Amino acid sequence: MAKNEQIYSVCTICDIGCQLRAETEDGKLKRMIAHDNPALARNVCYKGTAAAHVHNHADRLTKPLKRVGERGDDQWEEISYEQAMDEIAQRLKTLVAKYGPETLAVSTSGWNTQTTHSLDRRFMNALGSPNYISGVSLCAGNTAAVNKFTYGWFPFADIPNSKCIVLFGHNPRKHSWTPIFNMINQARANGAKVIVLDPRVSEQAEVADMHLSLRSGTDAAMMLGWLHVIINEELYDKDFVAEYTTGFEELRARVDEYPLDRVEEITGVPADLIAEAARLYATAESACIPWTPITDMQISSTSAIRLQSILRALTGNIDVPGGEILGGFDPNYIPESKIGNHEMLSVEQKAKQLGSDTHPAYTYRAQEMLSEHTERVYGYQYADIVMGCYMANPSSTFKAMATEKPYPVKAFFVLGNNALMSYPNQHQILEGMLNQELIVAHEIFMTPTAMLADYVLPGDVFSERNHISDYWNWKLGMTLSQKAVEPPPEASSTFEFWRDLGHRFGFEELFPWETIEDMLDYRLSPSGRTFAEFADANYMYINPPKYRKYREKGFATPSGKVELKSSVLEELGFDPLPYYREGPAVSDEYPYNVFTGVREDAFFQTGQRQVKVLRDRMPSPKLFMHPIDAARENIADHDWVKLQTATGEVTAKVLVKESMKEGHIRVPHGWWYPEMRGDAKLAGAFISSDAVLCPDDPEFLDYEQGIPHFKGFPGRIVKLAEPPAGMSEQVLAG
């Protein structure tokens, strides 16, 4: 694609990575506008168009800060970047000498920081720390790791060419997951059928061909019911199953344990509707089950993710047009998987990775069992797809930070990630952070997490840096992102942070790149082009897809086939076949099924609450509940309530909605109050944050991953006699 005189930027305000155009004025970002390619022009939402309000915000961090008060008191002095890096390096060296390199834990989100280029893993692996965690442990990254158990890679759904699209709780909208929303609409216009499985009547459910209103957290049982229909009615692809899968007869026996009357009892969906949906999916000319964050966060998450993989395989929808495409490493671009240098970390240090003993699915312990097979098929043994493989378990990490068991974790680095509010059991996260000897935050705003740090370094933003996005090897292609304006003089990229820290630790040979452009030239070297040459010729480059690649080298699993019965899980001591596990039950004391983590269009995760043009769209947090439940509790629209669980409580307003399933309460994700900074502890991080609600005790965790059950845990609701004190007029009125 020939480039014209535009500045193209890949937006990182959410995780979809839409390519927009930047307009500048007097050295500042003026606005982001839609793409000039008509096929891409619809991929824009009001978060993306608000970029200038984010990047030029008066409260944006521009100076490095050092804590001068007690941890969490939000008292700072300005220092230089060089002083900050010198002191951080010296303090970390002292802690490593005292406790060992595993004392360092890092929490980050590559979606936000964009230009890390896996230098965080490179530094940690050179140092000897295996304790890297990320929000992708709850969302897409864990899915990638579990998909590898079945067929060796994490496929991307070919939605535009599909004839049947299955959405498990996923609800792409015009201003949330916008490209996926547009792909679904394109496919629907071409005759595709859409099946939605969601307790709510979501926006996608309203226009779906079929809506199955299942009880939250029962995805695995539903898919076992689908497989019961598909196998017993012989709707599966017999040739593919015979030649390319293992464990079919064992799977058949497991599926026979889930007749439709049992699945109906578990899910609350009539058996005839379950069967009809299964037949529609299995008999479609092509079909896909796009990734969904909902199935990622359940007590049966590993089994449910595997069941999606198995459904794709049994119906012949793997690596075919309109199905799920197995990408692989782009031959023109060195992947972050290689830059991370995972082979540098010793066997002894990998064995110390927190959580790998109890919940190994996405840790080195499980993922390295696939290494030789990944190399056989894809040419390199470490496939860190979507940054989600080879991670420590977050709950185990925060527990070690709090208790110093199995060993002390005393240094915590947080980059582009509001860690306090981004994982389960927020109370334990706070306890762990208060027990640290060194916390470093790299951020663009003073978040509740940053308020707990010893050093806060201001970061750059996507309009201030060059980049090429390859979507961490999930989807095919490379997308250009160009610097439009200069960052604040003392802001740094995460690339600079890790390079400069590496140099202070004597790792100069591992960090030879002086600039981001040097790194991009290195990564593009297999193509024979520099970054400047790529940008001059392309705004996007996509290799034409090749289908059914498994016919050449098989699948990157120990058997070389699709493993319906997982040899990896079996060797680890887990059930090698998928199963359904019932979540925690409601009771008279806690009568509602609570599901958390739901996005609001104006925000991404915990971000953007200080951005007026976005906050005006959603001034206050809203819980959703069904009219019958609201009447029972004597609650009306916009009443203030407390939603309580055995672990914590959130304060919010209520919206009474017919679209909700009776007995369920929906909780938005990531609420805090930047306007309360200085008045409420940690800017109100414990008032309305859904992360306080869900525990991470063993009975709430998926066995294989240690993922908490966010989708259907017991809670109760209490009406407040008056609005909570300390709220702004905007919050009270909104």
Side-chain angles (χ1 to χ4, degrees), residues 14-35:
C14 88
D15 55 0
I16 296 300
C18 300
Q19 190 182 51
L20 307 175
R21 290 181 293 163
E23 291 188 348
T24 64
E25 185 174 85
D26 299 328
K28 287 189 174 183
L29 180 67
K30 179 181 179 182
R31 61 176 183 163
M32 299 299 300
I33 61 174
H35 210 285

Side-chain angles (χ1 to χ4, degrees), residues 150-151 236-251 309-310 312-316 318 550 555 557 559-565:
T150 308
Y151 36 52
Y236 57 93
D237 186 328
K238 295 181 181 64
D239 291 338
F240 182 88
V241 168
E243 188 170 356
Y244 293 108
T245 73
T246 63
F248 179 74
E249 290 305 322
E250 293 94 333
L251 176 68
S309 306
I310 289 167
R312 294 166 182 146
L314 260 61
T315 55
I318 290 293
Y550 54 81
F555 293 92
T557 61
S559 65
K561 297 185 177 184
V562 174
E563 297 201 352
L564 309 176
K565 177 184 177 183

Side-chain angles (χ1 to χ4, degrees), residues 527-571:
S527 72
R529 292 194 289 179
T530 65
F531 172 76
E533 290 167 340
F534 180 94
D536 189 55
N538 303 96
Y539 58 75
M540 190 177 294
Y541 180 83
I542 302 175
N543 288 316
K546 296 180 180 179
Y547 300 111
R548 298 180 177 89
K549 296 179 288 294
Y550 54 81
R551 291 177 174 174
E552 299 174 11
K553 296 183 179 180
F555 293 92
T557 61
S559 65
K561 297 185 177 184
V562 174
E563 297 201 352
L564 309 176
K565 177 184 177 183
S566 171
S567 62
V568 172
L569 290 174
E570 185 169 41
E571 188 172 339

Side-chain angles (χ1 to χ4, degrees), residues 61-192:
L61 295 168
T62 59
K63 302 284 186 180
L65 302 174
K66 180 179 180 179
R67 176 172 64 85
V68 294
E70 294 297 314
R71 190 178 302 286
D73 283 353
D74 199 16
Q75 297 178 26
W76 311 93
E77 66 173 347
E78 293 183 0
I79 60 175
S80 70
Y81 174 77
E82 292 299 322
Q83 179 185 342
M85 293 301 296
D86 287 343
E87 293 184 10
I88 290 166
Q90 187 54 55
R91 291 179 65 174
L92 180 59
K93 287 177 182 178
T94 300
L95 293 172
V96 168
K98 183 177 181 180
Y99 300 112
E102 63 272 15
T103 200
L104 171 65
V106 174
S107 176
T108 187
S109 175
W111 305 107
N112 298 333
T113 57
Q114 193 182 67
T115 55
T116 304
H117 299 287
S118 206
L119 294 184
D120 45 5
R121 304 306 303 267
R122 193 178 185 91
F123 175 85
M124 295 177 75
N125 290 334
L127 183 71
S129 173
N131 293 322
Y132 169 95
I133 63 174
S134 172
V136 300
S137 64
L138 300 167
C139 181
N142 62 321
T143 323
V146 173
N147 267 256
K148 288 167 69 178
F149 296 156
T150 308
Y151 36 52
W153 201 263
F154 183 28
F156 194 84
D158 185 16
I159 297 172
N161 295 310
S162 187
K163 294 303 180 184
C164 182
I165 302 162
V166 180
L167 301 174
F168 273 92
H170 202 17
N171 188 32
R173 305 180 295 280
K174 181 175 174 58
H175 295 285
S176 185
W177 288 291
T178 305
I180 308 301
F181 170 79
N182 290 328
M183 289 179 192
I184 293 170
N185 288 345
Q186 178 184 344
R188 185 183 283 115
N190 292 332

Side-chain angles (χ1 to χ4, degrees), residues 608-627:
Q608 293 89 51
R609 265 71 178 185
Q610 61 276 91
V611 180
K612 186 177 185 305
V613 295
L614 296 175
R615 184 68 177 276
D616 285 349
R617 296 180 179 274
M618 184 58 68
S620 59
K622 308 291 197 309
L623 309 178
F624 290 179
M625 61 189 306
H626 191 274

Side-chain angles (χ1 to χ4, degrees), residues 188-208:
R188 185 183 283 115
N190 292 332
K193 302 294 185 183
V194 178
I195 304 171
V196 171
L197 302 100
D198 198 316
R200 312 161 292 166
V201 184
S202 65
E203 288 88 343
Q204 284 293 340
E206 286 181 341
V207 296

Side-chain angles (χ1 to χ4, degrees), residues 384-679:
D384 194 7
I385 310 169
V386 200
M387 308 159 286
C389 309
Y390 321 109
M391 297 182 291
N393 177 272
S395 291
S396 299
T397 300
F398 291 116
K399 190 171 294 183
M401 289 166 60
T403 67
E404 303 183 17
K405 297 178 181 178
Y407 53 77
V409 175
K410 288 293 188 177
F412 187 49
F413 289 10
V414 191
L415 297 96
N417 171 236
N418 190 2
L420 176 66
M421 304 174 64
S422 297
Y423 302 95
N425 198 348
Q426 187 169 317
H427 300 288
Q428 178 174 267
I429 299 172
L430 178 62
E431 183 183 355
M433 293 185 70
L434 291 175
N435 195 37
Q436 294 302 285
E437 296 184 29
L438 174 63
I439 299 178
V440 178
H442 192 279
E443 262 294 354
I444 61 172
F445 289 105
M446 184 62 76
T447 65
T449 300
M451 292 175 194
L452 292 162
D454 297 285
Y455 298 90
V456 180
L457 300 179
D460 63 355
V461 292
F462 70 79
S463 63
E464 299 166 353
R465 59 197 179 213
N466 288 318
H467 186 56
I468 292 175
S469 174
D470 69 344
Y471 300 94
W472 296 278
N473 298 118
W474 186 10
K475 55 186 281 190
L476 298 170
M478 296 185 289
T479 303
L480 174 68
S481 192
Q482 294 169 290
K483 177 191 283 192
V485 295
E486 292 296 326
E490 294 190 75
S492 59
S493 66
T494 52
F495 164 85
E496 293 169 304
F497 173 81
W498 291 112
R499 178 202 64 193
D500 294 346
L501 189 64
H503 283 207
R504 284 167 170 81
F505 271 74
F507 301 151
E508 290 91 348
E509 290 186 2
L510 293 172
F511 295 84
W513 308 281
E514 286 299 315
T515 66
I516 289 176
E517 291 73 26
D518 290 341
M519 170 60 81
L520 292 168
D521 289 348
Y522 166 71
R523 294 190 67 183
L524 281 165
S525 58
S527 72
R529 292 194 289 179
T530 65
F531 172 76
E533 290 167 340
F534 180 94
D536 189 55
N538 303 96
Y539 58 75
M540 190 177 294
Y541 180 83
I542 302 175
N543 288 316
K546 296 180 180 179
Y547 300 111
R548 298 180 177 89
K549 296 179 288 294
Y550 54 81
R551 291 177 174 174
E552 299 174 11
K553 296 183 179 180
F555 293 92
T557 61
S559 65
K561 297 185 177 184
V562 174
E563 297 201 352
L564 309 176
K565 177 184 177 183
S566 171
S567 62
V568 172
L569 290 174
E570 185 169 41
E571 188 172 339
L572 290 167
F574 295 102
D575 193 333
L577 294 165
Y579 58 87
Y580 170 72
R581 178 179 163 211
E582 184 65 27
V586 297
S587 63
D588 291 341
E589 185 178 9
Y590 296 104
Y592 294 102
N593 279 298
V594 177
F595 60 101
T596 68
V598 182
R599 286 188 183 181
E600 295 161 313
D601 289 354
F603 312 122
F604 177 63
Q605 314 298 36
T606 70
Q608 293 89 51
R609 265 71 178 185
Q610 61 276 91
V611 180
K612 186 177 185 305
V613 295
L614 296 175
R615 184 68 177 276
D616 285 349
R617 296 180 179 274
M618 184 58 68
S620 59
K622 308 291 197 309
L623 309 178
F624 290 179
M625 61 189 306
H626 191 274
I628 292 176
D629 297 325
R632 182 187 306 114
E633 304 289 348
N634 192 29
I635 290 172
D637 255 350
H638 288 82
D639 280 348
W640 281 94
V641 300
K642 284 188 180 295
L643 177 64
Q644 301 174 330
T645 69
T647 303
E649 64 180 27
V650 299
T651 301
K653 287 185 176 183
V654 164
L655 288 182
V656 181
K657 297 177 77 71
E658 290 278 357
S659 60
M660 280 298 295
K661 186 178 181 68
E662 188 177 349
H664 286 61
I665 296 176
R666 166 264 201 212
V667 186
H669 174 54
W671 265 93
W672 59 290
Y673 300 90
E675 68 273 15
M676 297 179 74
R677 183 182 175 191
D679 297 323

Side-chain angles (χ1 to χ4, degrees), residues 367-385:
Q367 292 294 305
E368 285 201 310
M369 295 168 68
L370 296 166
S371 292
E372 66 176 283
H373 314 294
T374 304
E375 186 168 23
R376 168 175 53 82
V377 176
Y378 296 106
Y380 181 65
Q381 60 183 318
Y382 290 96
D384 194 7
I385 310 169

